[in-house]
Amino acid sequence: MCGIVGYIGTKKASPILINGLIRLEYRGYDSAGISTIEKENLSLMKDKGRVKNLYNLPGIDDLEGTIGIAHTRWATHGKPSKENSHPHMDNSNTFSAVHNGIIENYNELRKFLGDNGYTFYSQTDTEVIPNLVHYYYSKDTNNDDLKFLRAVKSACSDFKGSFAIEIICKDYPDNMIVVRKDSPLVIGKGDEENFISSDIPAILSFTRDFYLLDDLEFTVLSRNDAKFYDINLNQIDKKTKTIEWDAASSEKNGFDDYMLKEIYEQPTAIRETIGAKLNENSKCEFDELNFTKEYLENINKIYIVACGTAMHAGLVGKNVIEKLCKIQTEVDIASEFRYRDPIIDDKTLCIFISQSGETADTIAALKLSKEKGAKTIAVSNVIGSSITREADYSVYTHAGPEIAVASTKAYTSQVMLLVILAIYFAETLYINEDKIKELKKDILELPKKLEETLKISENIKEFAKKVYQETDIFFLGRGIDETVAREASLKLKEISYIHSESYAAGELKHGPIALIENGITVVSIMTDSKLVEKTVSNVQEVISRGAKTIVVTNQNIDDTMFEKVIHIPTTNSFISPILSIIPLQLFSYYISKEKGLDVDKPRNLAKSVTVE
Ligand code: F6R
């Protein structure tokens, strides 16, 4: 979703800004623009379409300014167009601003500004920002160093909703103001320069030292300095945080696409996520958690709340927590949870999963749970992300930056972390069953088995070539395999645009089997020895109605019944999704490639969904 980049330093800003936007392209966008301070005036270059089109705009090469802001827009208010693209300027061309998020009361503010003589040229909510700042600026008769800051602060006090804002003013050529509320923004500290970005990977090649902003902390940046102010404009101290990822880990490393690279990074991501938390002969350790047996015994319910793929990881988490710890666990979609008045009290533990840590619905669900008295744990891949700053406790997947919009290594790492978390709960409760010992052993063998699975799964490419022109593909499973079927189906939809559904195999006869007709492709997953025969029977029902079937399994089944069978290594059923999803990620990937689609940036999707 929208991306923000900014630069203030001693170098020409425009190429840095455009390169930064290119690195944020994966978030999804439909238009792009930049604005710099040029001598006494503000420049403004923007258009709908790709970031690289900015290079063709007349005058772009003549920009000399060393301070500027930039934006990729993912349309919310108003269609993709030049007028609606950011940056937006106020009527007097004194301020230029970019914004990520939604100003919910923009209609009211537009009316107020309209009544005060301001005109609007776009349909966006964002255009109220520079104009309202100008309104307060023009009313302030005190021409001191803080006048620009006071105007931004006054405007922000009027905004309802979420925002990350970067704003420059032609009267303050050595300053940029940055502020966020419920929307991501980080500041990278360089030598005589500062970089601003919606996320860390976009500016990792410039610096590893970042300031992470909390809600409504106003930052006044100059070339050598960053000053932070609270909502009352009292100055506050902030330290930088050093980020361990290096820029190379967010490059493609010879793979055609980020998605393929990330699929192949899963053995490493799982190794890193296991880290030192789990050993065969000692209890699981989470430095970040200090739960006691008494606390866990008193929990009445666990909620796992997330969106999309992260929610699918949560379904695997529910299975393992309920089976190992015997604590009732419910999984909710964050956008539903937040509005359904969930039953929560101080005996409820809520776990929020978010790769980016910036998903608006998940953050809102977390805030609601805290208000209702629950203890909250964030599971994220991004240190310092909003969700980790809101939650009582944060635990991290160590998948490294995930750039492709379709999530792969983040999903398997989330599953891994939730299983380790469940073991930690079980051991804290002194549940000391043999099955935990066995599970730990199986987890430690998992990275090797993942490598093996990746090799075995490559031959799915041939099957993908056979079915890439189909219009509907179904996925089936039972128990834990049903959760994998959901994830596999989502992956296929996202990057191949083929209509797909997933069903609990036993549910087919209750309606969906009416959709099965001659030649249709049905993919099934069978990794649970207790359920495999039942699933085979359900698949036979679709075969007898003419379906082509592909099976992912670690069981001994009669291969001759099916069009294709991918045999993956056997493992503990708690962690089997980490292996069984691999051939299905590759299935979607190769179908998308065969169709000639942009695998990393599927249409209409954004990597980080920062609006509801
Ligand atoms: C699908 C996908 C999305 C995300 C969802 C939540 O491939 O990536 O469904 O899982 O938007 O994102 P995070 O985990 O960043 O909260």
Side-chain angles (χ1 to χ4, degrees):
M1 226 150 243
C2 307
I4 287 180
V5 176
Y7 176 76
I8 173 164
T10 51
K11 303 185 189 103
K12 201 166 142 151
S14 52
I16 297 174
L17 296 173
I18 296 176
N19 275 324
L21 291 184
I22 288 171
R23 284 169 189 269
L24 288 179
E25 277 188 310
Y26 73 90
R27 294 167 68 90
Y29 73 103
D30 45 60
S31 38
I34 69 170
S35 178
T36 55
I37 304 186
E38 300 292 317
K39 302 208 174 76
E40 256 103 76
N41 288 314
L42 297 175
S43 75
L44 180 64
M45 307 264 173
K46 57 184 190 174
D47 211 346
K48 71 172 185 183
R50 312 307 287 174
V51 173
K52 62 177 179 346
N53 298 348
L54 291 175
Y55 286 121
N56 304 330
L57 295 179
I60 196 115
D61 293 334
D62 305 330
L63 298 178
E64 294 295 337
T66 55
I67 163 172
I69 58 179
H71 190 263
T72 45
R73 173 172 186 256
W74 189 84
T76 55
H77 296 70
K79 62 180 181 351
S81 68
K82 180 172 176 170
E83 294 66 42
N84 289 335
S85 311
H86 300 210
H88 288 279
M89 284 166 71
D90 68 300
N91 288 176
S92 70
N93 295 348
T94 306
F95 297 96
S96 189
V98 296
H99 162 229
N100 188 1
I102 292 180
I103 305 294
E104 286 166 4
N105 57 336
Y106 81 105
N107 269 329
E108 198 183 300
L109 294 171
R110 261 174 106 111
K111 166 136 193 3
F112 168 79
L113 288 165
D115 292 346
N116 282 279
Y118 289 82
T119 307
F120 291 90
Y121 301 95
S122 78
Q123 294 138 359
T124 64
D125 51 339
T126 303
E127 206 181 351
V128 299
I129 297 173
N131 284 303
L132 195 61
V133 171
H134 178 266
Y135 170 82
Y136 284 113
Y137 189 77
S138 61
K139 296 265 174 278
D140 190 339
T141 49
N142 190 353
N143 286 322
D144 62 1
D145 286 352
L146 295 180
K147 180 172 172 177
F148 178 20
L149 176 62
R150 279 194 300 274
V152 175
K153 186 251 153 184
S154 300
C156 287
S157 304
D158 291 347
F159 299 147
K160 296 206 175 93
S162 60
F163 48 83
I165 297 171
E166 249 182 3
I167 182 158
I168 48 179
C169 171
K170 76 175 165 74
D171 301 342
Y172 288 78
D174 300 316
N175 288 146
M176 174 188 302
I177 295 182
V178 166
V179 58
R180 68 180 284 269
K181 178 176 167 283
D182 298 330
S183 197
L185 203 66
V186 295
I187 297 167
K189 183 179 175 316
D191 194 12
E192 285 191 68
E193 54 191 357
N194 284 299
F195 302 87
I196 301 94
S197 175
S198 296
D199 64 27
I200 290 171
I203 47 175
L204 257 186
S205 54
F206 300 115
T207 179
R208 299 267 190 95
D209 297 326
F210 287 84
Y211 292 107
L212 304 173
L213 296 183
D214 285 324
D215 278 354
L216 290 173
E217 283 178 352
F218 294 82
T219 312
V220 180
L221 293 169
S222 51
R223 288 170 176 82
N224 288 314
D225 202 10
K227 288 198 169 79
F228 302 93
Y229 298 85
D230 68 14
I231 186 73
N232 300 314
L233 299 191
N234 299 314
Q235 211 171 327
I236 44 179
D237 259 354
K238 225 172 197 359
K239 301 256 171 309
T240 53
K241 200 170 174 66
T242 304
I243 300 297
E244 303 298 333
W245 301 345
D246 55 13
S249 61
S250 43
E251 302 293 347
K252 283 190 201 157
N253 284 349
F255 284 89
D256 284 353
D257 311 272
Y258 282 112
M259 183 175 174
L260 192 61
K261 170 185 170 249
E262 288 160 9
I263 289 174
Y264 275 87
E265 280 173 346
Q266 290 179 101
T268 310
I270 294 299
R271 254 184 216 110
E272 297 283 319
T273 299
I274 299 169
K277 293 181 206 71
L278 183 128
N279 287 300
E280 235 179 298
N281 302 318
S282 54
K283 279 180 70 181
C284 270
E285 293 289 344
F286 276 92
D287 294 342
E288 308 86 343
L289 303 179
N290 56 2
F291 289 177
T292 58
K293 180 170 186 281
E294 293 64 40
Y295 168 70
L296 289 171
E297 275 172 349
N298 276 318
I299 287 178
N300 54 17
K301 192 193 290 167
I302 295 179
Y303 278 113
I304 301 180
V305 185
C307 303
T309 289
M311 191 278 288
H312 294 157
L315 293 170
V316 186
K318 167 189 162 78
N319 178 61
V320 57
I321 294 173
E322 288 192 336
K323 290 205 172 113
L324 281 189
C325 314
K326 311 285 179 239
I327 306 175
Q328 188 195 341
T329 304
E330 284 186 26
V331 181
D332 252 276
I333 296 170
S335 56
E336 290 295 316
F337 181 83
R338 61 186 288 197
Y339 294 115
R340 76 166 175 83
D341 202 8
I343 301 168
I344 296 176
D345 59 25
D346 59 359
K347 292 199 173 68
T348 317
L349 174 64
C350 296
I351 302 174
F352 298 87
I353 312 170
S354 175
Q355 185 283 126
S356 61
E358 302 296 349
T359 300
D361 283 317
T362 311
I363 296 169
L366 194 167
K367 287 184 178 165
L368 173 84
S369 309
K370 273 176 81 176
E371 271 162 36
K372 290 183 172 241
K375 254 200 201 339
T376 54
I377 304 181
V379 174
S380 182
N381 196 37
V382 182
I383 293 174
S385 56
S386 300
I387 191 179
T388 65
R389 280 182 284 149
E390 282 294 334
D392 298 315
Y393 305 94
S394 297
V395 290
Y396 292 95
T397 51
H398 291 271
E402 191 180 64
I403 307 291
V405 166
S407 185
T408 53
K409 61 176 180 169
Y411 166 75
T412 45
S413 303
Q414 285 159 351
V415 169
M416 188 71 273
L417 194 70
L418 290 168
V419 174
I420 300 174
L421 197 59
I423 299 176
Y424 166 80
F425 291 161
E427 289 180 334
T428 307
L429 285 164
Y430 292 101
I431 297 171
N432 197 3
E433 291 179 22
D434 282 349
K435 70 175 168 195
I436 295 185
K437 275 204 193 102
E438 274 167 37
L439 174 58
K440 283 181 159 181
K441 202 162 156 280
D442 290 332
I443 290 175
L444 293 169
E445 285 171 2
L446 197 57
K448 276 255 155 294
K449 290 190 176 172
L450 258 168
E451 280 160 9
E452 221 181 298
T453 309
L454 280 163
K455 282 200 195 105
I456 294 165
S457 303
E458 265 303 319
N459 68 18
I460 199 134
K461 191 173 179 176
E462 292 315 307
F463 192 76
K465 278 188 182 162
K466 279 194 199 159
V467 300
Y468 79 98
Q469 282 170 320
E470 301 203 354
T471 51
D472 309 274
I473 294 184
F474 295 93
F475 291 83
L476 302 179
R478 280 177 179 254
I480 201 65
D481 296 329
E482 188 267 336
T483 70
V484 177
R486 293 197 204 197
E487 172 56 11
S489 171
L490 176 65
K491 216 81 312 166
L492 184 72
K493 291 185 188 92
E494 283 181 289
I495 59 167
S496 76
Y497 316 148
I498 293 177
H499 167 248
S500 167
E501 303 283 345
S502 72
Y503 294 108
E507 189 62 13
L508 262 194
K509 296 198 258 319
H510 300 283
I513 200 160
L515 295 170
I516 304 299
E517 54 187 34
N518 209 19
I520 209 142
T521 295
V522 177
V523 182
S524 50
I525 304 120
M526 304 177 192
T527 67
D528 187 331
S529 58
K530 292 192 284 308
L531 298 172
V532 62
E533 279 174 22
K534 308 250 174 242
T535 314
V536 167
S537 304
N538 298 133
V539 176
Q540 269 167 340
E541 288 157 12
V542 298
I543 292 174
S544 57
R545 283 159 182 85
K548 288 201 289 291
T549 50
I550 163 165
V551 177
V552 174
T553 188
N554 56 15
Q555 304 292 307
N556 279 328
I557 54 170
D558 175 6
D559 288 14
T560 58
M561 281 194 285
F562 312 103
E563 180 109 359
K564 178 150 191 79
V565 180
I566 309 265
H567 285 280
I568 57 170
T570 50
T571 189
N572 199 299
S573 72
F574 286 130
I575 48 176
S576 67
I578 297 176
L579 298 183
S580 56
I581 194 64
I582 303 293
L584 301 174
Q585 291 171 341
L586 285 166
F587 180 57
S588 301
Y589 172 81
Y590 285 120
I591 289 184
S592 177
K593 288 301 274 186
E594 209 55 45
K595 292 181 83 166
L597 300 173
D598 187 342
V599 180
D600 287 337
K601 291 186 234 104
R603 70 183 180 206
N604 305 342
L605 295 179
K607 182 69 184 161
S608 186
V609 184
T610 50
V611 296
E612 324 187 14

